[in-house]
Amino acid sequence: MAKGYIGRTEIEKDFIKAFNRLSYRHNPWTVWQHFINMAACSISNAVDRQPETWRRREESYLATVKAYDKEELDDFVKMFGLLVQALEENPAQDFLGNLYMSLDFGRGWSGQFFTPWHVAEFMAQIELANGVVFSELEKQGYISVNDPACGAGCMLIAFAQACRKMEKINYQRQVLFVGQDIDRVVAQMCYIQLSLLGCPGYVVVGDTLARPTCGPALRPVIHADNEIWFTPMWFSDVWAVRIAADRFRELIGGIGETAQ
């Protein structure tokens, strides 16, 4: 069970109740891992149709589902609905990251400590006060933000909300969000929250130092060492056009170099 944590809001309290019901019969950490994996796979397979990626994630989802009965699966569905509701009502929060730490999965299980929301919010405001952001927007029409140790995505979420509050940057059309983390569970947590908040981009599961993501930000190289999760907004028309234009520029540049 949830080690005494009952939640700060009504939504969190209802989430914990459903989580605790599942934890009566199953290990709490296993329940959390399974919830995160099923949610991430459900989102990804609705939009990412790369055959091998889709097949692998569908198999992972189905294998996880088999471990639970119908009533337990209903609780997983309820937890996902509460997560969606929480981010709709208050997008300026790290909902999953807060629960992860409050349930002691960070300190108790893996020695992690996530950035507090108010710190992430302050850092995002400082970044936006820098004129570089707006000069980059003028130059190429979008900017990219990258957190190489993203955890559940607190820093990236805070940046998105800072953009929204400024009303000068449409983060869905003008910001590319990139995260990477060596821990697959927290990387999936980041992916889920960025997806539900409409952030275009991707989250990489892999060691940032030993296996950094290669290639241009708009066209990351997919290879065996790193697992990449693309958010639904990544597949929107505006970003598809940018990706195609970036590829075209590279091809034209290559032709020019060959001609010389």
Side-chain angles (χ1 to χ4, degrees):
M1 293 181 64
K3 293 195 175 183
Y5 184 69
I6 62 170
R8 299 172 302 177
T9 65
E10 288 306 313
I11 293 176
E12 275 196 4
K13 289 174 183 176
D14 288 342
F15 187 102
I16 293 296
K17 286 176 185 175
F19 178 80
N20 280 341
R21 284 194 296 270
L22 288 161
S23 299
Y24 286 135
R25 284 186 54 202
H26 305 273
N27 178 278
W29 174 234
T30 300
V31 170
W32 184 265
Q33 286 179 298
H34 285 172
F35 169 67
I36 295 302
N37 186 59
M38 286 193 291
C41 288
S42 296
I43 294 169
S44 174
N45 276 8
V47 290
D48 191 341
R49 293 294 176 170
Q50 299 173 84
E52 182 58 28
T53 299
W54 189 94
R55 181 193 61 78
R56 187 170 59 250
R57 291 176 184 171
E58 187 70 5
E59 288 176 353
S60 176
Y61 175 88
L62 292 174
T64 305
V65 165
K66 289 178 182 177
Y68 301 91
D69 62 31
K70 184 183 182 304
E71 286 187 3
E72 290 172 328
L73 291 174
D74 286 343
D75 274 327
F76 277 119
V77 172
K78 181 171 185 178
M79 287 163 63
F80 186 76
L82 289 165
L83 166 60
V84 172
Q85 183 184 349
L87 292 178
E88 282 182 348
E89 292 185 7
N90 177 21
Q93 64 168 320
D94 178 8
F95 183 82
L96 289 177
N98 176 65
L99 282 172
Y100 183 86
M101 296 305 296
S102 298
L103 294 171
D104 210 27
F105 292 144
R107 291 184 294 272
W109 292 80
S110 55
Q112 296 164 318
F113 187 84
F114 292 165
T115 304
W117 175 258
H118 66 278
V119 174
E121 192 172 38
F122 179 63
M123 292 177 70
Q125 290 167 356
I126 291 175
E127 188 63 31
L128 284 174
N130 187 338
V132 174
V133 168
F134 293 96
S135 64
E136 280 297 304
L137 273 175
E138 242 179 82
K139 185 167 66 175
Q140 64 178 8
Y142 74 95
I143 57 172
S144 61
V145 291
N146 187 318
D147 187 344
C150 62
C154 184
M155 297 286 288
L156 297 172
I157 296 168
F159 189 85
Q161 298 313 307
C163 290
R164 184 176 63 86
K165 287 180 182 177
M166 282 188 71
E167 298 182 350
K168 292 182 180 179
I169 302 175
N170 181 333
Y171 72 80
Q172 294 185 325
R173 300 178 64 86
Q174 296 176 294
V175 183
L176 177 67
F177 296 85
V178 179
Q180 182 161 346
D181 204 287
I182 194 171
D183 186 316
R184 189 173 190 266
V185 175
V186 300
Q188 287 180 313
M189 287 159 56
C190 179
Y191 169 74
I192 292 165
Q193 295 195 124
L194 292 183
S195 295
L196 293 178
L197 290 168
C199 297
Y202 49 90
V203 179
V204 182
V205 182
D207 188 329
T208 303
L209 296 177
R211 297 184 299 234
T213 306
C214 301
L218 282 172
R219 292 179 292 110
V221 177
I222 301 174
H223 54 82
D225 287 336
N226 289 341
E227 181 183 352
I228 304 184
W229 295 73
F230 296 96
T231 69
M233 279 299 295
W234 166 266
F235 298 94
S236 65
D237 290 345
V238 64
W239 290 98
V241 168
R242 285 200 178 112
I243 293 164
D246 189 66
R247 176 61 176 158
F248 182 71
R249 279 192 294 270
E250 182 186 62
L251 289 171
I252 294 299
I255 293 170
E257 289 172 9
T258 303
Q260 291 174 9

